[in-house]
């Protein structure tokens, strides 16, 4: 048991560190993108030359070109990116690659005239030893009502799934629970430990009726295809025909299987009043 607890703590620490590093990288990319728009407005080609990867590409409404051509356009003022008003930003990090989507209103000076357009700009960055480099910048013309799809938050997904699980347990919805529970799942109660089949039978037969789980605190950490969720709850249950109320810390472990999260472990730890 001691080894299990230590292992769980190490996993949680690792997940927390990974999540923190990912969040830091996202904020760094957002700051770099914002600074880039300012450098483009200032025609600061020296700063941009360091930011743009030598193989970078720039996709505009009028064509696609490389780093040297983009820097020339900015320096000569063929296109002067006077002001980019950023409305929405979404970032996804994939190892050493980051993709950023900006929804912007761009005021630019083109062929002697000021023009304003709504764009969704896709920016791709890669992390090198010396820092992030811009690989691609693509302008997509969109309506002013366009919205960037919200970033999928796996922690939020797990929290919502856990909340739904408590409702299914209260409703004795064994069909939903049978689909959610992993075939090799384990359930740890004060009265013993057992597998999926026995837990389903207990819920179906009312051996334990999870009437209401009042959630006070919840946290979720996701690392790869594994998620660990901690619930601090007050559980109202009917056990052996008697209603009982207990405070628990519930540890739930989920595993991604063919794109779906499956509950692999659910453990109740009774808390002192």
């Amino acid at each position: 048991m001691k080894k299990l607890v230590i292992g769980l703590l190490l996993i949680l620490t690792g997940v927390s560190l990974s999540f923190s590093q990912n969040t830091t990288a996202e904020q760094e990319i957002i700051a770099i993108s914002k600074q880039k728009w300012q450098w483009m407005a200032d025609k600061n080609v020296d700063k941009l030359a360091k930011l743009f990867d030598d193989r970078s590409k720039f996709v505009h409404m009028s064509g696609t070109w490389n780093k040297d051509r983009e820097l020339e356009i900015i320096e000569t003022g063929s296109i002067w990116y006077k002001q980019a008003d950023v409305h929405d930003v979404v970032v996804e990090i994939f190892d050493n690659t980051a993709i950023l989507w900006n929804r912007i209103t761009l005021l630019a000076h083109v062929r002697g005239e000021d023009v304003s357009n709504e764009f969704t700009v896709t920016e791709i960055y890669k992390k090198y030893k010396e820092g992030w480099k811009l690989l691609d910048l693509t302008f997509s013309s969109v309506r002013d009502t366009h919205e960037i799809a919200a970033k999928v938050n796996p922690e939020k997904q797990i929290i919502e799934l856990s909340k739904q699980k408590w409702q299914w347990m209260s409703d004795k919805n064994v069909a939903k629970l049978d689909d959610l529970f992993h075939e090799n799942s384990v359930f740890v109660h004060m009265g013993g430990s057992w597998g999926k089949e026995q837990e389903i039978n207990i819920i179906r037969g009312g051996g334990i009726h999870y009437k209401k789980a009042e959630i006070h605190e919840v946290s979720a950490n996701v690392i790869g295809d594994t998620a660990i969720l901690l619930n601090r709850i007050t559980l109202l249950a009917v056990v052996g025909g008697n209603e009982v109320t207990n405070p628990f810390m519930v540890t739930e472990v989920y595993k991604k299987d063919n794109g779906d999260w499956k509950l692999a472990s659910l453990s109740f730890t009774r808390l002192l009043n």
Side-chain angles (χ1 to χ4, degrees):
M1 178 61 73
K2 185 176 180 181
K3 290 182 179 179
L4 179 62
V5 171
I6 292 173
L8 181 59
L9 288 173
L10 289 174
I11 291 173
L12 287 171
T13 301
V15 172
S16 178
L17 179 60
S18 175
F19 180 72
S20 175
Q21 290 174 337
N22 221 35
T23 302
T24 300
E26 291 174 9
Q27 294 303 316
E28 187 179 4
I29 289 297
I30 290 171
I32 289 172
S33 175
K34 183 178 179 181
Q35 185 65 75
K36 171 210 79 235
W37 291 121
Q38 189 59 54
W39 290 338
M40 292 170 84
D42 296 341
K43 302 180 183 179
N44 192 333
V45 292
D46 292 334
K47 292 286 188 181
L48 293 170
K50 293 179 181 178
L51 176 64
F52 297 165
D53 188 270
D54 288 341
R55 296 167 295 173
S56 55
K57 296 290 185 290
F58 300 83
V59 182
H60 294 257
M61 290 188 293
S62 57
T64 302
W65 44 79
N66 57 21
K67 172 181 177 176
D68 290 341
R69 175 62 176 150
E70 181 72 8
L71 291 174
E72 179 188 2
I73 286 171
I74 293 169
E75 187 173 25
T76 61
S78 296
I79 300 176
W80 178 16
Y81 304 90
K82 293 182 73 173
Q83 183 175 331
D85 291 328
V86 180
H87 307 300
D88 295 311
V89 180
V90 174
V91 180
E92 292 281 3
I93 304 292
F94 304 91
D95 296 323
N96 64 345
T97 302
I99 303 177
L100 178 144
W101 295 269
N102 280 303
R103 184 174 66 85
I104 71 170
T105 299
L106 179 64
L107 175 63
H109 194 75
V110 184
R111 299 186 184 92
E113 295 183 0
D114 279 352
V115 292
S116 180
N117 284 296
E118 303 287 337
F119 290 108
T120 288
V121 183
T122 303
E123 305 173 30
I124 302 176
Y125 294 85
K126 185 172 182 179
K127 185 76 173 284
Y128 294 97
K129 289 182 179 180
E130 63 271 24
W132 291 99
K133 295 281 189 180
L134 179 70
L135 299 181
D136 179 271
L137 189 146
T138 299
F139 289 88
S140 300
S141 183
V142 295
R143 297 175 180 175
D144 57 7
T145 56
H146 176 79
E147 293 183 5
I148 301 173
K151 179 180 177 180
V152 175
N153 187 322
E155 285 79 16
K156 185 176 180 181
Q157 282 184 313
I158 290 296
I159 290 171
E160 289 300 318
L161 183 58
S162 172
K163 183 179 178 181
Q164 185 67 71
K165 172 210 80 234
W166 291 120
Q167 188 60 54
W168 291 336
M169 293 171 83
S170 175
D171 296 340
K172 300 181 184 180
N173 191 335
V174 292
K176 291 287 189 181
L177 294 171
D178 182 65
D179 184 59
L180 175 65
F181 296 165
H182 192 279
E183 290 304 314
N184 299 319
S185 54
V186 176
F187 300 83
V188 182
H189 294 260
M190 290 189 294
S193 303
W194 45 77
K196 172 180 176 176
E197 184 177 357
Q198 186 171 345
E199 181 73 9
I200 291 290
N201 288 336
I202 286 172
I203 294 171
R204 179 188 288 115
I208 301 175
H209 180 198
Y210 302 90
K211 291 187 71 174
K212 184 180 181 182
E214 184 179 352
I215 301 171
H216 306 296
E217 294 178 28
V218 61
S219 64
N221 286 298
V222 177
I223 180 166
D225 61 355
T226 303
I228 301 171
L229 180 141
L230 300 177
N231 276 306
R232 185 173 67 83
I233 70 170
T234 298
L235 179 64
L236 173 63
V238 178
V239 183
N242 298 313
E243 277 196 354
V244 291
T245 301
N246 284 296
F248 288 110
M249 181 63 75
V250 182
T251 303
E252 303 173 34
V253 180
Y254 292 84
K255 185 79 173 175
K256 208 155 201 182
D257 185 17
N258 292 322
D260 295 322
W261 289 106
K262 299 292 184 180
L263 181 67
S265 173
L266 188 146
S267 301
F268 290 87
T269 301
R270 191 180 186 283
L271 302 174
L272 296 176
N273 290 324

